[in-house]
Amino acid sequence: MEMDRNPDPDFDFLQNGSSKRHRLLRPACLSKIFIGVLALVLFILLIVALSSGKKKTVIDISNCLYPLGGRAPFGGHMEPEKRMTSKRCEKVFDEYIKDENSQYWTDTEVTIRNARKYLLEGEDDSPTKYSAMVVFDIDETVLSNLEEISAAGYGRRNDETWKKWVTEARAPAIPASLKFFKDLRKNGFSISFLTGRHERDRKSTEKNLEASGYGTKCTDEPPPLGELCYHKLILRKKDDHRDAIIYKSEERGDLSKNFTIVASVGDQWSDLLGENRPIGVFKMPNPFYYIP
């Protein structure tokens, strides 16, 4: 029996596959395929490049504004350092502190707002106000050294430049901190300043605190309600080389003999952690330097 010479057209490829393959491989078709594949590859490479660029920018900025600061730590207090902040971070810092409406000042307000809620707006279950003490650090906590820091290109300040700046006693108050200090005094809280500055800087530090609105050392104990004064200004002794976290922990221990420390405010974690710390700790922004 002779087979049908007109098979189902759906199976034409069995007989005509060879000719169809030849038609698909014509130069014009190959060119179109090549162009399409090339365009797809280029598109994918473009997406990858853009994604990589965005990711790098985020990493750079987060490194600049890292809460421990952008510089290498030294034991206890700041020492001269050759390494300077990167040019990219300088630009980020310039933007961060550029004027009174910049993000830096907003960040200081956020910290103080949280401290205010904790101490002044909650239920008053603290001990007698006079015996309740709030401990403040000074630099980048109640006084701002941004003028000196930015003038140095955000690099590690050297000893001579820092001494000159402290001696001039013209660091301005951080507005949110000053208002908080006044409100604490109106409510009868005792205040002490615990700083990494040295004893040689006592007179200039006292002068700067008074000139910027924090008053002087209290002459009466307890002082009149609302009087702008502080219980104690604690500075490092000449040969004190303890790490800041140890130095401040031990000094808080001494204060705790006569007061109940209800909160600490500082720009370094070493201001806030360690032994004899209160429950309320409030970290001020400072990406510029780190003190362990």
Side-chain angles (χ1 to χ4, degrees):
M1 179 176 173
E2 187 177 356
M3 292 184 64
D4 188 356
R5 297 291 183 182
N6 298 305
D8 189 326
D10 288 342
F11 295 91
D12 279 352
F13 69 91
L14 292 175
Q15 292 183 350
N16 303 325
S18 176
S19 62
K20 285 192 175 186
R21 278 197 301 272
H22 285 300
R23 286 199 299 271
L24 287 172
L25 296 176
R26 288 175 183 174
C29 292
L30 287 174
S31 297
K32 291 179 180 179
I33 292 172
F34 176 77
I35 292 172
V37 170
L38 180 62
L40 179 61
V41 170
L42 291 175
F43 178 74
I44 292 172
L45 290 175
L46 177 62
I47 294 297
V48 170
L50 290 175
S51 299
S52 298
K54 289 180 180 178
K55 185 177 181 181
K56 186 175 187 299
T57 299
V58 172
I59 291 175
D60 282 348
I61 291 175
S62 67
N63 282 344
C64 294
L65 297 180
Y66 189 58
L68 292 186
R71 313 174 196 175
F74 282 79
H77 57 286
M78 288 175 290
E79 298 285 356
E81 181 194 4
K82 294 180 180 179
R83 183 170 67 84
M84 301 296 284
T85 303
S86 70
K87 291 295 182 183
R88 174 164 183 77
C89 283
E90 285 185 25
K91 293 179 180 179
V92 172
F93 290 154
D94 283 341
E95 183 69 20
Y96 186 52
I97 66 169
K98 65 181 179 180
D99 56 42
E100 61 184 11
N101 297 315
S102 66
Q103 186 62 43
Y104 171 76
W105 299 108
T106 299
D107 291 345
T108 64
E109 291 168 359
V110 169
T111 297
I112 296 301
R113 188 183 309 133
N114 290 334
R116 180 182 295 278
K117 287 180 180 178
Y118 179 73
L119 290 172
L120 299 177
E121 297 179 13
E123 293 184 11
D124 188 3
D125 57 357
S126 63
T128 305
K129 289 294 180 64
Y130 168 69
S131 66
M133 175 170 284
V134 180
V135 177
F136 286 89
D137 174 51
I138 290 182
D139 298 300
E140 277 59 69
T141 299
V142 298
L143 296 180
S144 171
N145 301 300
L146 291 185
E147 180 182 335
E148 189 269 340
I149 292 170
S150 59
Y154 307 102
R156 173 69 67 176
R157 62 186 75 167
N158 64 62
D159 234 12
E160 293 307 313
T161 302
W162 175 243
K163 286 178 184 177
K164 183 176 182 294
W165 171 257
V166 172
T167 301
E168 290 173 351
R170 58 188 184 87
I174 293 177
S177 297
L178 179 58
K179 188 175 187 310
F180 183 45
F181 171 86
K182 291 179 177 179
D183 289 343
L184 288 172
R185 288 298 305 122
K186 287 178 184 176
N187 283 272
F189 286 90
S190 294
I191 308 291
S192 280
F193 293 112
L194 175 53
T195 175
R197 293 186 180 196
H198 289 270
E199 191 62 42
R200 65 173 183 250
D201 303 319
R202 179 172 293 278
K203 287 186 178 179
S204 57
T205 301
E206 289 175 342
K207 179 181 177 181
N208 204 157
L209 287 171
E210 183 177 9
S212 57
Y214 293 98
T216 59
K217 188 177 185 304
C218 300
T219 54
D220 298 316
E221 295 291 350
L225 198 66
E227 180 179 328
L228 295 182
C229 66
Y230 48 87
H231 170 73
K232 197 170 186 179
L233 169 61
I234 304 169
L235 302 99
R236 279 183 180 273
K237 301 296 188 291
K238 182 179 179 180
D239 297 320
D240 186 350
H241 300 297
R242 291 172 292 175
D243 280 355
I245 193 168
I246 297 173
Y247 155 65
K248 296 203 171 187
S249 293
E250 293 178 354
E251 295 297 336
R252 283 196 302 267
D254 287 342
L255 289 172
S256 297
K257 293 174 183 176
N258 299 306
F259 293 88
T260 298
I261 301 177
V262 293
S264 288
V265 185
D267 66 296
Q268 303 289 320
W269 287 114
S270 55
D271 297 332
L272 307 172
L273 303 181
E275 298 296 323
N276 305 306
R277 66 178 181 269
I279 294 176
V281 293
F282 301 93
K283 172 76 167 60
M284 295 288 276
N286 184 356
F288 311 112
Y289 57 86
Y290 168 48
I291 304 175

